Amino acid sequence: MPSAVAHGMLAGLSEIADIGRDRRAGGYSRHLWEPAEHELRAWFAERAARLGLDVEVDRNGNTWAWWGAPGPDAVVIGSHLDSVPGGGAYDGPLGVVSALEAVARLQAAGFVPGRPCAVLVFAEEEGSRFGVACLGSRLLSGAIDADKARSLTDRAGITFAEAAVTAGIDPAHLGRDQESLDRIGLFLELHVEQGRGLIDLGEPLAVASSILAHGRWRMSFTGQGNHAGATLMSDRSDPMVAAARAIVDVQEAALASPGSRATVGRIEALPGGTNVIPSAVHAWLDARAETDDQVHAVVADISARVQNQHAGCSATVVEESWTSTVTFDPDLAARLALALGGIPALPTGAGHDAGVLAATVPTAMLFVRNPTGISHSPEEFATLDDCLAGVEALDTLLRELL
Ligand code: GLV
Ligand code: MN
Ligand code: MN
């Protein structure tokens, strides 16, 4: 059995600790089908092969490692290896590494599964390259139209279809994959917690109860591109000013709707020169709340506020992705919590592939305490003891489920 621990981290996390480091942003930038992500996939395939698992990539780019013959009614565990720009070491990889570690433990103990089991790595969970989060699970389950997925573009204008070809995926075969879905009896995703729930409870682990409704919108502002020195302030139609006002509106709209969250984390000025008044500015809005209606009300409020904000500029707000509130199967969550000695259940504001799959197959999640309470940032963390408790929990659940 490979050693679980290396350099104070789960061994798998330590093995990939140098892959995709982002020197500019800090943390990791591991984006779909870019060199770092290819390296992570190769690492996963090698690690899985060492355990005697059979690795296959499905037609949507998700990677499966089968312990024994594939499905039906398989227990599938896993998460993702891609990251946000400048992300932490745990969001995604902790679930993958813990899944491999749990399988290694069971094998070392001579455990023989009574039903099929696979470790699954989803593609483009963060949507950092093509803009739609959980793209691999959305495609697998048919939650996104394949044509829409094919036409998504990255920042260089490369379409998802074009990038798929370079990764050996035939874009004509993207979309709902009934054969793969039929193999899943249950999907279980272990994930680092991304808030302070477990810190406040003083507990290392929880099962997930629900995920906030959330979506992404592109706010676009157009004006007149012009010279920064030759254009009088009174003569400008500057979409950057319209965008700046809109960003303040986003904060005000969310503050006016208690419990909701709205963020602009990415902005792009075109053409983007220090001495150029932009002709257009795009700002991406991420909005979340407990109910679908609340998110839609916040976004409607933002859309109304951002119109006609700055002389000569126009604004549009266009939805790019949407996920309704997810309530995980309470009976399944309670059963798993009980098997783990009565651990608590927690809601989350973060999206997950498990949340997408929950509409299609029995699904549950386990959260591991994050002592910083910070995520999507290099400060994201989990202690080795808590990570080991997570592996132990997967080990216990697999013994019960397999
Ligand atoms: C994924 O981590 C998300 O919640 O955006
Ligand atoms: Mn994330
Ligand atoms: Mn994640």
Side-chain angles (χ1 to χ4, degrees), residues 12 24 27 33 38 50 76-77 103 115 128 136 138 182 199 202 226 230 240 247-248 299 305 315-316 328 371 380 390:
R24 203 162 139 249
W33 298 330
H38 277 303
R50 256 199 271 160
V76 180
I77 52 175
V103 169
R115 69 195 262 205
S128 299
R138 284 184 207 268
D182 285 345
I199 301 175
N226 214 332
M240 186 61 88
I247 290 165
V248 176
V299 175
R305 290 177 192 238
T316 58
F328 288 103
E380 176 185 279

mmCIF file of all heavy atoms in Angstrom, residues 12 24 27 33 38 50 76-77 103 115 128 136 138 182 199 202 226 230 240 247-248 299 305 315-316 328 371 380 390:
data_model
loop_
_atom_site.group_PDB
_atom_site.id
_atom_site.type_symbol
_atom_site.label_atom_id
_atom_site.label_comp_id
_atom_site.label_asym_id
_atom_site.label_seq_id
_atom_site.Cartn_x
_atom_site.Cartn_y
_atom_site.Cartn_z
ATOM 1 N N GLY A 12 -0.612 11.744 -2.036
ATOM 2 C CA GLY A 12 -1.019 12.148 -3.384
ATOM 3 C C GLY A 12 -0.960 13.662 -3.559
ATOM 4 O O GLY A 12 -0.532 14.163 -4.604
ATOM 5 N N ARG A 24 2.357 34.107 -10.620
ATOM 6 C CA ARG A 24 1.837 35.469 -10.628
ATOM 7 C C ARG A 24 0.694 35.613 -9.618
ATOM 8 O O ARG A 24 0.701 36.509 -8.767
ATOM 9 C CB ARG A 24 1.344 35.789 -12.033
ATOM 10 C CG ARG A 24 1.309 37.240 -12.322
ATOM 11 C CD ARG A 24 1.238 37.516 -13.812
ATOM 12 N NE ARG A 24 0.314 38.607 -14.032
ATOM 13 C CZ ARG A 24 -0.865 38.465 -14.614
ATOM 14 N NH1 ARG A 24 -1.261 37.299 -15.059
ATOM 15 N NH2 ARG A 24 -1.644 39.506 -14.751
ATOM 16 N N GLY A 27 -0.708 30.216 -5.531
ATOM 17 C CA GLY A 27 -1.555 29.021 -5.588
ATOM 18 C C GLY A 27 -1.382 28.277 -6.905
ATOM 19 O O GLY A 27 -0.294 28.238 -7.487
ATOM 20 N N TRP A 33 -7.239 20.738 -20.024
ATOM 21 C CA TRP A 33 -6.480 20.415 -21.244
ATOM 22 C C TRP A 33 -5.327 21.383 -21.498
ATOM 23 O O TRP A 33 -4.854 21.517 -22.613
ATOM 24 C CB TRP A 33 -7.416 20.328 -22.457
ATOM 25 C CG TRP A 33 -8.443 19.235 -22.302
ATOM 26 C CD1 TRP A 33 -8.312 18.065 -21.623
ATOM 27 C CD2 TRP A 33 -9.774 19.229 -22.850
ATOM 28 N NE1 TRP A 33 -9.468 17.332 -21.704
ATOM 29 C CE2 TRP A 33 -10.378 18.014 -22.455
ATOM 30 C CE3 TRP A 33 -10.497 20.128 -23.636
ATOM 31 C CZ2 TRP A 33 -11.687 17.670 -22.813
ATOM 32 C CZ3 TRP A 33 -11.797 19.794 -23.995
ATOM 33 C CH2 TRP A 33 -12.383 18.575 -23.582
ATOM 34 N N HIS A 38 -3.019 18.293 -18.018
ATOM 35 C CA HIS A 38 -2.609 17.032 -18.656
ATOM 36 C C HIS A 38 -1.667 16.259 -17.730
ATOM 37 O O HIS A 38 -1.741 15.037 -17.608
ATOM 38 C CB HIS A 38 -1.908 17.303 -19.991
ATOM 39 C CG HIS A 38 -2.867 17.504 -21.131
ATOM 40 N ND1 HIS A 38 -3.815 16.576 -21.488
ATOM 41 C CD2 HIS A 38 -3.022 18.534 -21.998
ATOM 42 C CE1 HIS A 38 -4.517 17.021 -22.521
ATOM 43 N NE2 HIS A 38 -4.059 18.210 -22.837
ATOM 44 N N ARG A 50 -1.243 1.850 -10.695
ATOM 45 C CA ARG A 50 -0.481 1.196 -9.618
ATOM 46 C C ARG A 50 -1.392 0.391 -8.693
ATOM 47 O O ARG A 50 -0.968 -0.558 -8.051
ATOM 48 C CB ARG A 50 0.265 2.255 -8.803
ATOM 49 C CG ARG A 50 1.751 2.300 -9.121
ATOM 50 C CD ARG A 50 2.480 2.995 -7.985
ATOM 51 N NE ARG A 50 2.542 4.434 -8.186
ATOM 52 C CZ ARG A 50 2.773 5.312 -7.222
ATOM 53 N NH1 ARG A 50 2.963 4.915 -5.982
ATOM 54 N NH2 ARG A 50 2.812 6.603 -7.486
ATOM 55 N N VAL A 76 -19.399 5.079 -7.024
ATOM 56 C CA VAL A 76 -18.404 5.925 -7.695
ATOM 57 C C VAL A 76 -18.011 7.041 -6.730
ATOM 58 O O VAL A 76 -18.880 7.722 -6.167
ATOM 59 C CB VAL A 76 -18.980 6.497 -9.008
ATOM 60 C CG1 VAL A 76 -17.948 7.367 -9.715
ATOM 61 C CG2 VAL A 76 -19.441 5.360 -9.926
ATOM 62 N N ILE A 77 -16.703 7.192 -6.530
ATOM 63 C CA ILE A 77 -16.213 8.234 -5.620
ATOM 64 C C ILE A 77 -15.215 9.091 -6.391
ATOM 65 O O ILE A 77 -14.531 8.593 -7.296
ATOM 66 C CB ILE A 77 -15.550 7.639 -4.355
ATOM 67 C CG1 ILE A 77 -14.484 6.592 -4.731
ATOM 68 C CG2 ILE A 77 -16.586 7.021 -3.434
ATOM 69 C CD1 ILE A 77 -13.713 6.050 -3.537
ATOM 70 N N VAL A 103 -9.232 3.366 -1.607
ATOM 71 C CA VAL A 103 -9.167 2.109 -2.363
ATOM 72 C C VAL A 103 -7.885 1.355 -1.989
ATOM 73 O O VAL A 103 -7.908 0.132 -1.756
ATOM 74 C CB VAL A 103 -9.219 2.379 -3.894
ATOM 75 C CG1 VAL A 103 -8.878 1.131 -4.686
ATOM 76 C CG2 VAL A 103 -10.599 2.912 -4.289
ATOM 77 N N ARG A 115 -19.664 -5.116 -5.193
ATOM 78 C CA ARG A 115 -20.286 -4.434 -6.335
ATOM 79 C C ARG A 115 -19.223 -3.551 -6.995
ATOM 80 O O ARG A 115 -18.196 -3.251 -6.368
ATOM 81 C CB ARG A 115 -21.541 -3.667 -5.923
ATOM 82 C CG ARG A 115 -21.343 -2.451 -5.059
ATOM 83 C CD ARG A 115 -22.649 -1.970 -4.416
ATOM 84 N NE ARG A 115 -23.270 -0.888 -5.136
ATOM 85 C CZ ARG A 115 -24.101 0.007 -4.575
ATOM 86 N NH1 ARG A 115 -24.413 -0.061 -3.286
ATOM 87 N NH2 ARG A 115 -24.631 0.961 -5.294
ATOM 88 N N SER A 128 -13.035 27.305 -15.296
ATOM 89 C CA SER A 128 -12.032 28.374 -15.399
ATOM 90 C C SER A 128 -11.577 28.602 -16.824
ATOM 91 O O SER A 128 -11.143 29.690 -17.174
ATOM 92 C CB SER A 128 -10.811 28.036 -14.541
ATOM 93 O OG SER A 128 -11.194 27.929 -13.209
ATOM 94 N N GLY A 136 -18.045 18.924 -17.132
ATOM 95 C CA GLY A 136 -17.983 17.472 -17.353
ATOM 96 C C GLY A 136 -19.218 16.756 -16.824
ATOM 97 O O GLY A 136 -19.788 15.885 -17.501
ATOM 98 N N ARG A 138 -22.143 18.228 -16.199
ATOM 99 C CA ARG A 138 -23.324 18.725 -16.949
ATOM 100 C C ARG A 138 -23.460 17.978 -18.268
ATOM 101 O O ARG A 138 -24.566 17.617 -18.679
ATOM 102 C CB ARG A 138 -23.191 20.220 -17.245
ATOM 103 C CG ARG A 138 -23.464 21.116 -16.058
ATOM 104 C CD ARG A 138 -23.386 22.581 -16.515
ATOM 105 N NE ARG A 138 -23.021 23.440 -15.416
ATOM 106 C CZ ARG A 138 -23.895 24.058 -14.613
ATOM 107 N NH1 ARG A 138 -25.177 23.920 -14.803
ATOM 108 N NH2 ARG A 138 -23.475 24.821 -13.630
ATOM 109 N N ASP A 182 -25.793 4.925 -16.406
ATOM 110 C CA ASP A 182 -26.418 3.673 -15.960
ATOM 111 C C ASP A 182 -25.492 2.859 -15.057
ATOM 112 O O ASP A 182 -25.946 1.971 -14.336
ATOM 113 C CB ASP A 182 -26.819 2.818 -17.173
ATOM 114 C CG ASP A 182 -28.068 3.375 -17.853
ATOM 115 O OD1 ASP A 182 -28.753 4.211 -17.231
ATOM 116 O OD2 ASP A 182 -28.333 2.979 -19.004
ATOM 117 N N ILE A 199 -15.571 24.588 11.356
ATOM 118 C CA ILE A 199 -14.799 25.301 12.397
ATOM 119 C C ILE A 199 -15.759 25.646 13.527
ATOM 120 O O ILE A 199 -15.484 25.396 14.709
ATOM 121 C CB ILE A 199 -14.191 26.615 11.851
ATOM 122 C CG1 ILE A 199 -13.269 26.358 10.667
ATOM 123 C CG2 ILE A 199 -13.478 27.375 12.959
ATOM 124 C CD1 ILE A 199 -12.733 27.637 10.019
ATOM 125 N N GLY A 202 -16.715 22.686 15.496
ATOM 126 C CA GLY A 202 -15.606 21.972 16.158
ATOM 127 C C GLY A 202 -15.543 20.515 15.747
ATOM 128 O O GLY A 202 -15.176 19.635 16.526
ATOM 129 N N ASN A 226 -11.261 55.248 -27.595
ATOM 130 C CA ASN A 226 -10.660 56.522 -28.012
ATOM 131 C C ASN A 226 -9.313 56.715 -27.324
ATOM 132 O O ASN A 226 -8.884 55.892 -26.507
ATOM 133 C CB ASN A 226 -11.622 57.677 -27.678
ATOM 134 C CG ASN A 226 -11.560 58.812 -28.700
ATOM 135 O OD1 ASN A 226 -10.515 59.012 -29.325
ATOM 136 N ND2 ASN A 226 -12.660 59.521 -28.857
ATOM 137 N N ALA A 230 -6.035 62.506 -25.877
ATOM 138 C CA ALA A 230 -6.625 63.488 -26.798
ATOM 139 C C ALA A 230 -8.120 63.684 -26.590
ATOM 140 O O ALA A 230 -8.708 64.584 -27.179
ATOM 141 C CB ALA A 230 -6.358 63.042 -28.241
ATOM 142 N N MET A 240 -15.650 51.639 -19.120
ATOM 143 C CA MET A 240 -15.027 51.230 -17.851
ATOM 144 C C MET A 240 -15.715 51.925 -16.681
ATOM 145 O O MET A 240 -15.879 51.339 -15.606
ATOM 146 C CB MET A 240 -13.526 51.562 -17.874
ATOM 147 C CG MET A 240 -12.777 51.037 -16.675
ATOM 148 S SD MET A 240 -12.862 49.224 -16.541
ATOM 149 C CE MET A 240 -11.448 48.761 -17.545
ATOM 150 N N ILE A 247 -20.350 47.454 -10.795
ATOM 151 C CA ILE A 247 -19.774 46.570 -9.776
ATOM 152 C C ILE A 247 -20.226 47.019 -8.375
ATOM 153 O O ILE A 247 -20.526 46.188 -7.511
ATOM 154 C CB ILE A 247 -18.237 46.531 -9.929
ATOM 155 C CG1 ILE A 247 -17.883 45.783 -11.222
ATOM 156 C CG2 ILE A 247 -17.588 45.854 -8.718
ATOM 157 C CD1 ILE A 247 -16.461 45.965 -11.699
ATOM 158 N N VAL A 248 -20.317 48.307 -8.181
ATOM 159 C CA VAL A 248 -20.838 48.796 -6.899
ATOM 160 C C VAL A 248 -22.326 48.424 -6.771
ATOM 161 O O VAL A 248 -22.793 48.011 -5.708
ATOM 162 C CB VAL A 248 -20.622 50.327 -6.765
ATOM 163 C CG1 VAL A 248 -21.255 50.844 -5.483
ATOM 164 C CG2 VAL A 248 -19.121 50.641 -6.786
ATOM 165 N N VAL A 299 -30.553 39.284 -9.504
ATOM 166 C CA VAL A 299 -30.008 39.560 -10.844
ATOM 167 C C VAL A 299 -30.908 40.544 -11.595
ATOM 168 O O VAL A 299 -30.422 41.421 -12.317
ATOM 169 C CB VAL A 299 -29.792 38.248 -11.627
ATOM 170 C CG1 VAL A 299 -29.342 38.529 -13.057
ATOM 171 C CG2 VAL A 299 -28.742 37.388 -10.917
ATOM 172 N N ARG A 305 -30.448 48.157 -12.379
ATOM 173 C CA ARG A 305 -29.548 49.224 -11.907
ATOM 174 C C ARG A 305 -28.481 49.588 -12.947
ATOM 175 O O ARG A 305 -28.029 50.729 -12.996
ATOM 176 C CB ARG A 305 -28.821 48.783 -10.631
ATOM 177 C CG ARG A 305 -29.697 48.682 -9.396
ATOM 178 C CD ARG A 305 -28.853 48.165 -8.237
ATOM 179 N NE ARG A 305 -29.649 47.773 -7.092
ATOM 180 C CZ ARG A 305 -29.500 48.289 -5.872
ATOM 181 N NH1 ARG A 305 -28.607 49.217 -5.642
ATOM 182 N NH2 ARG A 305 -30.241 47.855 -4.873
ATOM 183 N N ALA A 315 -25.575 48.756 -21.835
ATOM 184 C CA ALA A 315 -25.250 47.581 -21.014
ATOM 185 C C ALA A 315 -26.166 46.416 -21.352
ATOM 186 O O ALA A 315 -27.348 46.624 -21.636
ATOM 187 C CB ALA A 315 -25.395 47.928 -19.532
ATOM 188 N N THR A 316 -25.625 45.201 -21.336
ATOM 189 C CA THR A 316 -26.459 44.000 -21.426
ATOM 190 C C THR A 316 -26.024 43.030 -20.322
ATOM 191 O O THR A 316 -24.859 43.033 -19.906
ATOM 192 C CB THR A 316 -26.308 43.277 -22.790
ATOM 193 O OG1 THR A 316 -24.928 42.933 -22.968
ATOM 194 C CG2 THR A 316 -26.787 44.130 -23.943
ATOM 195 N N PHE A 328 -29.572 17.543 -1.208
ATOM 196 C CA PHE A 328 -29.110 16.155 -1.298
ATOM 197 C C PHE A 328 -30.120 15.233 -0.623
ATOM 198 O O PHE A 328 -30.779 15.619 0.345
ATOM 199 C CB PHE A 328 -27.722 16.012 -0.651
ATOM 200 C CG PHE A 328 -26.633 16.636 -1.477
ATOM 201 C CD1 PHE A 328 -26.090 17.859 -1.138
ATOM 202 C CD2 PHE A 328 -26.162 16.001 -2.627
ATOM 203 C CE1 PHE A 328 -25.099 18.450 -1.913
ATOM 204 C CE2 PHE A 328 -25.175 16.576 -3.408
ATOM 205 C CZ PHE A 328 -24.643 17.800 -3.056
ATOM 206 N N PRO A 371 -9.461 24.778 8.228
ATOM 207 C CA PRO A 371 -9.264 25.646 9.402
ATOM 208 C C PRO A 371 -9.107 27.127 9.070
ATOM 209 O O PRO A 371 -9.240 27.965 9.955
ATOM 210 C CB PRO A 371 -7.986 25.092 10.044
ATOM 211 C CG PRO A 371 -7.296 24.334 8.968
ATOM 212 C CD PRO A 371 -8.356 23.836 8.038
ATOM 213 N N GLU A 380 -6.492 28.252 1.328
ATOM 214 C CA GLU A 380 -7.341 27.064 1.564
ATOM 215 C C GLU A 380 -6.473 25.966 2.200
ATOM 216 O O GLU A 380 -5.331 25.767 1.804
ATOM 217 C CB GLU A 380 -7.830 26.636 0.190
ATOM 218 C CG GLU A 380 -8.654 25.392 0.114
ATOM 219 C CD GLU A 380 -8.908 25.129 -1.379
ATOM 220 O OE1 GLU A 380 -9.810 25.764 -1.936
ATOM 221 O OE2 GLU A 380 -8.161 24.342 -1.979
ATOM 222 N N GLY A 390 -10.943 11.993 6.780
ATOM 223 C CA GLY A 390 -11.744 11.891 5.557
ATOM 224 C C GLY A 390 -11.510 10.566 4.844
ATOM 225 O O GLY A 390 -12.461 9.911 4.403
#
